[in-house]
Amino acid sequence: MHRSIATVSLSGTLRQKLEAVAAAGFDGIELFEADFINFKGTATELRRIAADLGLAIDLYQPFRDFEGMPEPQFRRSLERAERKFDLMEAMGAPMVLCCSNTSPLAINDPALAAAQLHELAERAARRNLRVGFEALAWGRHTSRYGQAWNIVKRANHAHLGLILDSFHTLSLKDDPAGIVDIPGDKIFFLQMADAPLLSMDVLQWARHHRSFPGQGDFDVVGFFEKVLLAGYTGPLSLEIFNDIFRETPNRRTAVDAMRSLLYLESETRQRLASASASTKAPAQPLRVELFHPPAVPALSGLSFIEFAADEASAQTLGTLLRQLGFRRVGQHRSKAVTLYRQGETNLIVNAQPDSFARNRFDAHGTSVCALGVRCADPLAAVGRATAMRSQRHDSPVGPNEMRVPAVVAPGGNLIHFVPEALGPNGLYEADFILEEDGAGDAANDAGPLRIDHVALGLALDQLDTWVLFTRAVLGLEPGESLELADPFGLIRSRGVANADRRLRLVLNVSLSQRTRTARTLSVTGGGAVHHIALSCEDIFDSVAKLRANGTRFVPISDNYYDDLATRIDIAPELLARMRAAGVLFDRSPAGDYLHTYTESFEGGLFFEVAQRVGAYDAYGALNAPARMASQAQD
Ligand code: MG
Ligand code: MG
């Protein structure tokens, strides 16, 4: 498909925006008028810049408050349109977006609106330009695509067509099913936007909180499918008004934007294919080609977590890990790298002075620099990732060491794809001198403990990037987005997980600079692991053993348990045990979650020990404020 993006979706000057968009591989842009008004240059110069970058100017927008106006305003608007047409001719923009009227002067008369749009299209036709009419969700008399289509149909002019925008339809919970009945060649342009489900004024929602497809909660795939079934063959474009994107470096936004379109195309392609398979009908012949990347990799959990630390921290981290029941099982053949293990969970502490992470972040202190995920076909997984515009990473490999394919996650950490065929711990035999089953290390069993989830602390502008990255590259589906109170500000938290829940990540961002999550970021450089949750089968048994090993847990206020008893019907004996052990509790219809947090390491990273009961599927997020408040009172 011809892929396009509105200039309003990115930060920067107009030239910088075009450079970022071209670098990300787009075919064209929608020129947002304000970007041109503030551009120091002529329309002809802009045309040359775009042409040099290989970008078409697909659309000039918006042209406001036109249709259904009293005669004097209508005449003036036609004059205004002629001046815009002059500019469009000079810059080579073939189409203008006319959005439905929001003026209090607008008359509720579809026949009048059609007649006036016919006149506008007639004027555009004289210059071989086209007019696309779009229903704004807050339009005065026209807010739905069905109304806009009726007006376009009635106007019946070859140079007038419909512009569809997923935000306006889906934000009003309008049914997109009717789109398939609109002739494809009368849909002139398609704008896609996703958004989180918020209950707020639709105009504010639209202007500040749209997101790229795959980052929000709308069924953008279902919407796009209807447009394709109508026979649409024009540009697939993104029009995203988002406060955070206005601040985010535009190169990153442009890559996210491209990834979102590739994801949308490939998901829609799949849905169309499975729909025709289930009805046994012959596949609807599409008139455009949709992106077809390697399939999402089937991931079967984490094989390892790698920490970058300096030599002194590596020692203290090692002590902490051993208190948590991990054994020191090996030393790297050629590097200052130590392997700790518990069951099938491997933790690697990298104290190599020139390690990748330390060069990359200039990081001080200790942070996680890489995750290793198990998968059946690592090369296919990397193929998927690079198709979705992630960078692959090749680490330097010593003699006889194993090469494990990796990609760079947003923010710079690495994700390695570890071949399942190696077995749970087979990867490490090549690179490490293994001590027999950690025989040299005293046993500190408290488990078995396995990795339940890894929580990341992200810079505010990284959350949407990570949601899309984990979805498009790793095939993880996002859960509910929650807002939690730290004593010094709000945290937003969103879990992402694969279908069988063997891989779970929790993405946390701080809306304030003063929270512990934000301060963790300044230690680790952002995009970094904030805590690691280990699951156990009997939390009271595990916590008692861990305490005996010397693990220190965050104390929980007595008031928490008094309040818990009023909120949830818990057996008094269980409540007393939780109070004594400092264990927190959450209940969902599917099951319970019992968990506790260790004190943090060097003021940053900490561990969580958790027990899932039944089919509980969340992360005890409602208890995070208790943890954050306790940490703040230390
Ligand atoms: Mg729009
Ligand atoms: Mg957690």
Side-chain angles (χ1 to χ4, degrees):
M1 295 205 74
H2 180 98
R3 302 184 186 115
S4 190
I5 183 169
T7 54
V8 72
S9 317
L10 304 117
S11 69
T13 65
L14 182 55
R15 183 188 270 273
Q16 289 165 346
K17 291 178 190 208
L18 297 194
E19 285 168 350
V21 163
F26 280 88
D27 304 303
I29 57 156
E30 295 179 33
L31 181 65
F32 197 63
E33 184 167 64
D35 278 314
F36 180 71
I37 291 173
N38 303 323
F39 171 64
K40 282 190 193 163
T42 64
T44 324
E45 283 161 354
L46 178 62
R47 177 186 205 141
R48 203 162 44 229
I49 292 171
D52 280 349
L53 291 167
L55 291 172
I57 301 177
D58 296 316
L59 186 75
Y60 185 90
Q61 70 126 316
F63 190 68
R64 293 186 191 281
D65 295 339
F66 175 79
E67 87 286 2
M69 280 301 225
E71 190 65 14
Q73 281 82 8
F74 169 60
R75 288 290 144 205
R76 229 176 297 138
S77 281
L78 283 176
E79 265 318 295
R80 180 161 60 95
E82 294 287 359
R83 300 293 70 77
K84 300 302 174 192
F85 292 165
D86 294 342
L87 282 177
M88 289 166 59
E89 279 187 310
M91 66 179 66
M95 194 188 311
V96 64
L97 176 150
C98 176
C99 52
S100 63
N101 203 329
T102 61
S103 163
L105 297 176
I107 299 159
N108 188 9
D109 178 357
L112 178 67
Q116 293 184 341
L117 281 166
H118 186 279
E119 174 65 26
L120 183 66
E122 187 57 34
R123 302 241 184 158
R126 284 176 208 152
R127 309 190 197 216
N128 201 25
L129 301 173
R130 300 203 294 168
V131 177
F133 183 51
E134 177 194 36
L136 292 182
W138 54 93
R140 196 154 187 95
H141 304 297
T142 301
S143 58
R144 293 169 187 260
Y145 74 86
Q147 295 172 297
W149 167 235
N150 281 333
I151 290 172
V152 167
K153 207 164 37 175
R154 189 166 197 154
N156 189 25
H157 194 293
H159 285 248
L160 179 70
L162 186 65
I163 290 184
L164 292 173
D165 181 329
S166 60
F167 180 86
H168 296 298
T169 298
L170 301 177
S171 63
L172 293 181
K173 297 195 172 72
D174 193 9
D175 185 359
I179 291 173
V180 298
D181 301 323
I182 301 172
D185 58 358
K186 288 308 281 182
I187 304 172
F188 276 9
F189 204 83
L190 171 63
Q191 297 176 317
M192 292 298 307
D194 204 340
L197 292 180
L198 301 170
S199 47
M200 64 191 298
D201 170 62
V202 69
L203 179 60
Q204 293 302 318
W205 189 13
R207 295 242 167 109
H208 301 281
H209 300 284
R210 294 194 212 192
S211 58
F212 292 129
Q215 295 179 332
D217 300 316
F218 286 167
D219 179 15
V220 285
V221 172
F223 186 90
F224 184 39
E225 180 190 36
K226 306 291 182 297
V227 180
L228 291 173
L229 291 174
Y232 177 72
T233 58
L236 170 61
S237 189
L238 295 162
E239 187 202 34
I240 314 295
F241 297 79
N242 181 299
D243 294 350
I244 293 171
F245 294 177
R246 288 177 191 274
E247 301 172 8
T248 305
N250 53 38
R251 293 273 168 157
R252 169 142 54 88
T253 307
V255 170
D256 281 354
M258 179 51 73
R259 180 177 291 150
S260 79
L261 287 186
L262 299 177
Y263 177 70
L264 176 67
E265 286 182 30
S266 59
E267 290 293 299
T268 308
R269 187 179 191 287
Q270 233 171 35
R271 192 180 295 193
L272 286 164
S274 63
S276 72
S278 71
T279 57
K280 297 206 171 64
Q284 196 100 7
L286 286 181
R287 298 170 64 201
V288 288
E289 80 288 1
L290 297 174
F291 187 60
H292 187 24
V296 160
L299 305 176
S300 48
L302 282 170
S303 170
F304 71 84
I305 298 176
E306 180 176 345
F307 302 80
D310 58 33
E311 230 172 286
S313 297
Q315 291 296 327
T316 39
L317 179 59
T319 306
L320 174 68
L321 296 181
R322 291 171 62 201
Q323 289 169 346
L324 286 166
F326 289 86
R327 296 180 192 196
R328 183 181 176 284
V329 294
Q331 190 65 39
H332 196 278
R333 290 185 190 283
S334 58
K335 298 175 189 159
V337 177
T338 311
L339 175 64
Y340 295 85
R341 177 179 295 161
Q342 175 165 191
E344 296 180 0
T345 304
N346 293 278
L347 303 182
I348 297 171
V349 179
N350 187 340
Q352 191 70 4
D354 61 344
S355 81
F356 167 77
R358 301 195 40 222
N359 286 337
R360 192 163 182 121
F361 298 131
D362 191 23
H364 306 286
T366 305
S367 61
V368 169
C369 59
L371 300 176
V373 293
R374 289 193 187 92
C375 74
D377 187 348
L379 292 181
V382 169
R384 167 80 181 188
T386 52
M388 286 295 177
R389 299 296 196 266
S390 285
Q391 252 180 300
R392 69 172 289 152
H393 176 84
D394 295 297
S395 310
V397 177
N400 302 321
E401 290 177 15
M402 183 91 64
R403 181 182 290 281
V404 182
V407 295
V408 184
N413 278 349
L414 296 182
I415 295 188
H416 292 270
F417 297 104
V418 180
E420 243 159 34
L422 289 175
N425 296 323
L427 169 66
Y428 311 93
E429 276 155 27
D431 296 9
F432 287 87
I433 301 163
L434 296 176
E435 295 155 23
E436 195 120 324
D437 212 16
D441 205 357
N444 264 338
D445 280 340
L449 303 180
R450 296 192 182 82
I451 295 172
D452 181 90
H453 62 273
V454 172
L456 300 137
L458 306 174
L460 185 54
D461 64 9
Q462 290 269 15
L463 181 60
D464 285 336
T465 296
W466 266 87
V467 167
L468 183 60
F469 169 78
T470 52
R471 208 169 192 182
V473 173
L474 303 178
L476 309 185
E477 279 304 311
E480 216 184 335
S481 180
L482 300 167
E483 231 168 50
L484 315 165
D486 174 282
F488 301 104
L490 289 179
I491 308 291
R492 186 176 293 285
S493 180
R494 193 162 199 199
V496 293
N498 67 353
D500 67 11
R501 301 297 189 257
R502 283 197 279 181
L503 183 60
R504 296 173 178 269
L505 302 176
V506 177
L507 311 174
N508 294 311
V509 296
S510 175
L511 310 179
S512 144
Q513 292 302 312
R514 295 183 57 220
T515 62
R516 190 175 193 85
T517 303
R519 284 181 286 127
T520 310
L521 285 187
S522 62
V523 174
T524 57
V529 169
H530 168 266
H531 71 265
I532 296 167
L534 301 168
S535 68
C536 63
E537 269 141 36
D538 180 343
I539 193 154
F540 298 109
D541 181 55
S542 288
V543 166
K545 287 178 176 160
L546 291 167
R547 280 192 201 278
N549 295 346
T551 306
R552 294 161 63 92
F553 290 95
V554 167
I556 299 302
S557 165
D558 256 349
N559 304 339
Y560 169 86
Y561 297 99
D562 296 342
D563 173 67
L564 185 63
T566 67
R567 288 191 289 121
I568 302 178
D569 188 19
I570 307 177
E573 312 79 65
L574 178 59
L575 188 70
R577 290 186 86 187
M578 290 195 292
R579 196 190 291 264
V583 166
L584 300 157
F585 185 85
D586 189 31
R587 176 167 286 169
S588 76
D592 294 348
Y593 189 66
L594 292 86
H595 61 140
T596 178
Y597 300 96
T598 70
E599 287 186 356
S600 63
F601 176 73
E602 293 176 352
L605 182 82
F606 54 92
F607 289 82
E608 176 180 356
V609 179
Q611 180 187 350
R612 291 180 185 273
V613 180
Y616 181 91
D617 193 31
Y619 305 91
L622 294 179
N623 291 321
R627 187 253 303 159
M628 295 186 284
S630 172
Q631 288 169 325
Q633 290 170 72
D634 269 353

